[in-house]
Amino acid sequence: MRLIKIKLSNFRCFGPEEQTILIDNLTVFIGNNSAGKTAALSALNCMFSENSNDRLLHRSDFHLPKGKKPEEMEEQSLYVEAVFQFDELEPDGQGGEYAIPYFFQHLVVENPGEAPCLRIRLSATWEKSSTLEGSIDSQICYITCPESEEILEDHCVRAQRHDLDKIRVIYVPAVRDPSKQLKNASGSLMYQIMSSINWSAETKDHIKTKVQELNTQLEREKGVSIFGNSIAKQWKEYDSDTRYSTASLRFSGTDIETSIRNTEVVFEPTVTGKEYTIDQMGDGLRSLFYISLVDSVLDVEEQMRKEIKSDPENTSFNRKPPILTIVALEEPENHIAPHLLGKLVGNLRSIAGKPHAQAIITSHSPAILKRIEPENLRYFRLTIDSAVSKVRGITLPSEKTESEQYKYIKEAIRAYPELYFAKLVILGEGESEELILPKFWEVVHENVDLSGISIVPLGGRHVNHFWRLLHDLQIPFITLLDLDRERDGGGWGRIKYALTQLLQIGAERERLLDTTKGIMSDDDLERMHDGSVLDTENMQAWMNRLEEYHVFFSAPLDIDFLMLEHMGDQYKKTLGMREGPRITIDEDQVYIKDFETTGQCHPKYDERIETSIRQTLKEHGGNGETYTDEQKKLMIWYSYFFLNRGKPASHIAVLSSMSGNQLKASMPPVLSRLITVAEQMLKGETS
């Protein structure tokens, strides 16, 4: 038996429009604070918690629409639905052997030939009344119609609590006192197992006798006697109820039940030579131990199932374990050192891999998200306009038909998980953008991290998949691409690609492709890459159009060349006396920087320019005819700094040597425009 989806409507931050959350064996809820992650876990807890107090609904559980005050509401309704499937009905399924009999008459088949599922729905209504909380009526029912059909009254069959208890949610909130809450929770789990052991009558009698002997021996101590007599005497002065007339010290219980309640785990050996209890451990180890204890309980419950199946009359325990346990853990990274997070994720995978268990966690930790498959992530976002939570899965390319793209995007988003929490994502080509963009942002504003901006390198690949991912998650983004004019696939090819992918994510064709000759046809768009490389004016017009869609170009080539054009002297100043490109003239080695200073001409210098053009524009590239003479000369330096010497070192040397005012004055105009748009997007002035 597996939980496969949760559906919510009007529960806390979830609005009237139903939100469906797909659930895997291990599922991770991500998103910014107050996006609905806790609400989703609390909804499950309201249905399946072992604690009856956790199942109570309150006025605050009903969604309050934006702009509405509580006192303006007369009536509200909500529902939470959990949908389950049964592993044992799958060809390779495991577990759940005795799940179906309990729920058989309530199973639903959506379509012919499909496996049946179980729908359990919590429905509740709130009405204004004379009490502060108002009047709340709730019920949990089996829904006996397919999800595609309207739910009628006859489709709702009230669920009995003893059946619902076969599904267990263990919920650990994010705000917790590890010393208290985790110890109590672990004690509860241990008590469940210990109290269900089939203790023999002989063992019970023996323990009772020994405990009584222990108490008798302790009571003989003079100091104990004095303290006990004082307690008894003073109590009589306070209360004369004959039911509780005698108060006395008791050092241990009188039976096995009381002893079980006092059971705790101790840890040894220690450097002090004494035992440690759970409340003496650090917060991080305490949290890890709790997860480990859940794992242990689930292991024992598997043994219970095996015994029940093989020899039901002779079992070690006197209860049946839950059919399904859902571990709902908020922000497991709390209190845990980064180097232990890998171990924690391993624990959670172990739990989720058991046949009768699943794990749902929430997290803000990139260290955890890097270790989670993107397919297991569910992204929560609070809409700005209506202040309701929306939930989406992570959009990846098809693993079957786009295997290369799938692997690249999957690894890229695992490498940069902070993009999920960003207010704005800036997509760049590579490591140069990662260095340069934050520096220019900082001279205008504060640190990019404080601004909520994530800069993610594309590596020049698969921009369409990143656009689809961010568009589906509704995370604002800006893209800075290399124009690569006269390189193979560059220029018109890059513009065509950007236009095509914008159309794929829903850009309005009539606006995007509007020209002086009317709306560009599909055929003309398909042939755009064949456009004349010399038509730089028209190319610039299309780049201007794309900036309206937050797609910018480092032109004419890439951001490295762009920086060299605007800050070339600063790059040259970072070189030592014997550093830099050289040419041989009359058997003498002449440094280009010295040669250019003199303004001389020489065939060897011209040859070096031509060689650098070929190196810069690469194989199958052009001859540099769209570049000015000054730009062609810069290609010598481009080859030296960025093709041979290394991009990071060159950029770091320049950026660290310049003041904020110098950087601001030298900023390439396209980067200035990009930063302006970023400012507007962060303020919500443009979308």
Side-chain angles (χ1 to χ4, degrees):
M1 184 178 184
R2 295 282 177 196
L3 175 67
I4 61 169
K5 66 178 72 171
I6 307 168
K7 301 194 291 186
L8 305 103
S9 174
N10 274 330
F11 184 84
R12 297 191 186 179
C13 53
F14 293 92
E17 181 185 351
E18 180 183 275
Q19 290 296 299
T20 299
I21 309 170
L22 300 181
I23 304 296
D24 302 314
N25 285 357
L26 174 62
T27 309
V28 182
F29 293 170
I30 61 172
N32 289 314
N33 293 328
S34 302
K37 304 183 297 295
T38 295
L41 293 186
S42 297
L44 273 181
N45 207 37
C46 284
M47 298 178 72
F48 304 113
S49 174
E50 293 182 308
N51 188 336
S52 59
N53 289 330
D54 292 340
R55 301 197 298 266
L56 296 176
L57 288 172
H58 304 277
R59 171 69 183 92
S60 57
D61 291 320
F62 292 81
H63 177 69
L64 186 65
K66 186 178 181 180
K68 284 282 189 178
K69 298 179 180 178
E71 59 268 23
E72 297 175 344
M73 306 298 293
E74 296 291 332
E75 184 180 273
Q76 287 179 281
S77 62
L78 64 78
Y79 67 81
V80 178
E81 184 175 318
V83 183
F84 301 86
Q85 283 186 346
F86 297 86
D87 293 351
E88 61 267 42
L89 297 177
E90 301 295 329
D92 58 346
Q94 59 175 336
E97 291 86 356
Y98 62 91
I100 287 182
Y102 291 104
F103 304 110
F104 180 77
Q105 59 183 330
H106 310 300
L107 299 186
V108 179
V109 177
E110 186 70 30
N111 297 301
E114 292 184 353
C117 65
L118 177 69
R119 301 176 64 187
I120 302 177
R121 176 176 288 208
L122 165 64
S123 303
T125 59
W126 170 89
E127 292 183 355
K128 184 184 288 187
S129 70
S130 57
T131 65
L132 184 63
E133 275 282 295
S135 176
I136 298 176
D137 292 320
S138 65
Q139 64 175 359
I140 298 181
C141 294
Y142 301 111
I143 305 299
T144 59
C145 67
E147 294 181 70
S148 57
E149 294 183 9
E150 180 184 357
I151 300 174
L152 304 176
E153 186 176 347
D154 291 345
H155 296 147
C156 301
V157 180
R158 194 172 188 93
Q160 300 299 315
R161 177 49 56 184
H162 63 79
D163 287 334
L164 295 175
D165 286 343
K166 294 174 176 61
I167 303 168
R168 172 177 65 190
V169 168
I170 300 175
Y171 174 54
V172 184
V175 180
R176 54 186 180 260
D177 178 357
S179 180
K180 180 180 178 181
Q181 194 265 336
L182 290 181
K183 184 175 184 292
N184 290 342
S186 62
S188 174
L189 288 172
M190 288 193 295
Y191 178 75
Q192 290 178 17
I193 298 298
M194 297 291 290
S195 63
S196 66
I197 294 174
N198 277 326
W199 301 96
S200 67
E202 181 182 0
T203 298
K204 290 181 179 179
D205 291 341
H206 185 68
I207 290 176
K208 185 175 181 179
T209 300
K210 292 298 182 182
V211 169
Q212 288 173 342
E213 290 177 1
L214 175 63
N215 280 307
T216 300
Q217 187 66 36
L218 291 170
E219 288 168 1
R220 290 173 182 169
E221 290 292 322
K222 185 177 180 181
V224 173
S225 178
I226 293 172
F227 187 33
N229 290 335
S230 177
I231 290 174
K233 177 183 176 183
Q234 295 300 327
W235 175 244
K236 288 182 178 180
E237 297 294 327
Y238 281 85
D239 187 71
S240 59
D241 193 323
T242 56
R243 294 174 298 172
Y244 316 110
S245 60
T246 302
S248 59
L249 284 176
R250 179 81 64 193
F251 290 91
S252 185
T254 58
D255 54 25
I256 195 170
E257 175 75 13
T258 310
S259 299
I260 289 172
R261 290 187 180 278
N262 295 326
T263 301
E264 62 180 348
V265 178
V266 297
F267 303 86
E268 57 181 356
T270 66
V271 293
T272 62
K274 65 177 184 180
E275 297 175 336
Y276 270 41
T277 60
I278 188 172
D279 59 330
Q280 294 172 304
M281 299 171 67
D283 289 348
L285 287 177
R286 215 165 11 238
S287 292
L288 279 177
F289 172 72
Y290 178 71
I291 302 299
S292 154
L293 183 62
V294 171
D295 214 341
S296 299
V297 169
L298 294 172
D299 270 339
V300 173
E301 290 179 342
E302 283 304 308
Q303 294 299 314
M304 291 182 187
R305 294 184 182 93
K306 291 178 181 178
E307 288 187 353
I308 292 170
K309 189 176 182 179
S310 62
D311 190 3
E313 301 300 321
N314 186 27
T315 60
S316 304
F317 301 88
N318 57 23
R319 72 178 180 93
K320 285 186 175 181
I323 294 171
L324 175 65
T325 296
I326 302 169
V327 180
L329 179 60
E330 288 201 77
E331 302 180 26
E333 64 267 21
N334 288 354
H335 313 291
I336 296 181
H339 72 279
L340 292 176
L341 291 178
K343 184 176 292 188
L344 179 135
V345 173
N347 281 127
L348 292 169
R349 284 204 182 98
S350 175
I351 290 172
K354 298 182 184 301
H356 295 269
Q358 292 174 264
I360 305 174
I361 66 174
T362 72
S363 181
H364 295 103
S365 169
I368 285 183
L369 298 186
K370 286 180 179 180
R371 294 171 167 87
I372 299 295
E373 298 295 324
E375 295 93 332
N376 297 137
L377 301 178
R378 303 294 179 265
Y379 179 75
F380 286 66
R381 186 183 68 87
L382 196 69
T383 61
I384 298 175
D385 55 344
S386 58
V388 298
S389 294
K390 303 287 187 180
V391 186
R392 290 175 169 81
I394 305 303
T395 305
L396 293 173
S398 170
E399 186 175 7
K400 292 183 178 179
T401 61
E402 302 172 289
S403 60
E404 181 187 354
Q405 297 94 320
Y406 169 82
K407 292 176 183 177
Y408 177 82
I409 300 299
K410 182 175 180 177
E411 291 307 311
I413 61 179
R414 290 178 73 172
Y416 296 90
E418 58 271 14
L419 69 85
Y420 298 120
F421 310 105
K423 296 179 181 177
L424 173 69
V425 174
I426 299 178
L427 299 170
E429 292 276 358
E431 57 188 358
S432 293
E433 284 80 0
E434 280 192 280
L435 288 169
I436 294 167
L437 292 176
K439 193 67 178 179
F440 279 123
W441 179 266
E442 288 168 15
V443 303
V444 181
H445 298 286
E446 57 190 358
N447 182 279
V448 290
D449 293 330
L450 297 177
S451 301
I453 297 174
S454 288
I455 297 174
V456 179
L458 295 167
R461 306 167 67 189
H462 313 310
V463 63
N464 56 319
H465 297 296
F466 275 97
W467 284 1
R468 173 62 65 186
L469 170 69
L470 295 169
H471 180 266
D472 288 351
L473 298 181
Q474 297 186 331
I475 299 174
F477 60 94
I478 296 174
T479 308
L480 178 63
L481 298 173
D482 297 340
L483 182 62
D484 286 337
R485 198 172 73 208
E486 291 197 51
R487 282 178 174 170
D488 187 34
W492 286 113
R494 301 305 298 270
I495 292 173
K496 170 190 170 182
Y497 182 74
L499 292 171
T500 302
Q501 299 310 317
L502 284 172
L503 291 173
Q504 289 293 319
I505 61 172
E508 185 182 353
R509 184 183 188 88
E510 287 73 18
R511 178 189 168 203
L512 179 64
L513 301 184
D514 187 25
T515 72
T516 56
K517 300 179 181 179
I519 308 302
M520 179 181 288
S521 67
D522 290 341
D523 289 341
D524 287 341
L525 178 61
E526 182 62 31
R527 292 192 298 268
M528 178 178 271
H529 65 280
D530 294 326
S532 172
V533 71
L534 299 175
D535 191 3
T536 56
E537 184 177 347
N538 194 24
M539 194 180 294
Q540 183 61 54
W542 279 107
M543 287 192 287
N544 295 341
R545 172 72 55 82
L546 285 166
E547 287 192 10
E548 299 174 16
Y549 294 83
H550 310 152
V551 180
F552 295 80
F553 285 93
S554 295
L557 195 64
D558 55 24
I559 196 170
D560 305 311
F561 194 86
L562 188 71
M563 293 290 287
L564 202 55
E565 273 199 285
H566 289 83
M567 303 164 61
D569 289 342
Q570 294 294 330
Y571 282 87
K572 296 173 186 177
K573 286 179 181 179
T574 64
L575 298 175
M577 292 293 292
R578 296 183 174 273
E579 291 184 304
R582 295 171 293 178
I583 55 176
T584 304
I585 299 178
D586 298 330
E587 298 183 355
D588 294 327
Q589 293 289 309
V590 180
Y591 285 93
I592 295 290
K593 59 184 177 181
D594 298 330
F595 185 86
E596 290 180 340
T597 302
T598 64
Q600 300 178 61
C601 296
H602 196 279
K604 292 291 185 181
Y605 180 58
D606 296 335
E607 289 176 14
R608 183 59 180 270
I609 292 175
E610 291 300 316
T611 300
S612 297
I613 291 173
R614 289 193 298 272
Q615 290 175 336
T616 299
L617 300 181
K618 302 180 179 179
E619 188 178 3
H620 308 302
N623 59 11
E625 59 186 326
T626 66
Y627 291 81
T628 67
D629 289 341
E630 289 302 313
Q631 288 174 330
K632 292 176 182 177
K633 293 176 183 178
L634 280 178
M635 291 184 186
I636 297 176
W637 295 99
Y638 181 91
S639 274
Y640 177 80
F641 281 115
F642 306 124
L643 300 182
N644 300 319
R645 196 174 187 228
K647 297 178 182 181
S650 298
H651 290 309
I652 291 172
V654 170
L655 295 173
S656 61
S657 69
M658 299 176 68
S659 68
N661 288 333
Q662 288 175 318
L663 286 169
K664 197 172 182 178
S666 304
M667 188 186 306
V670 67
L671 300 188
S672 179
R673 296 195 302 274
L674 185 151
I675 288 173
T676 299
V677 171
E679 294 169 341
Q680 296 170 345
M681 294 178 76
L682 288 173
K683 294 176 182 177
E685 296 174 357
T686 184
S687 59

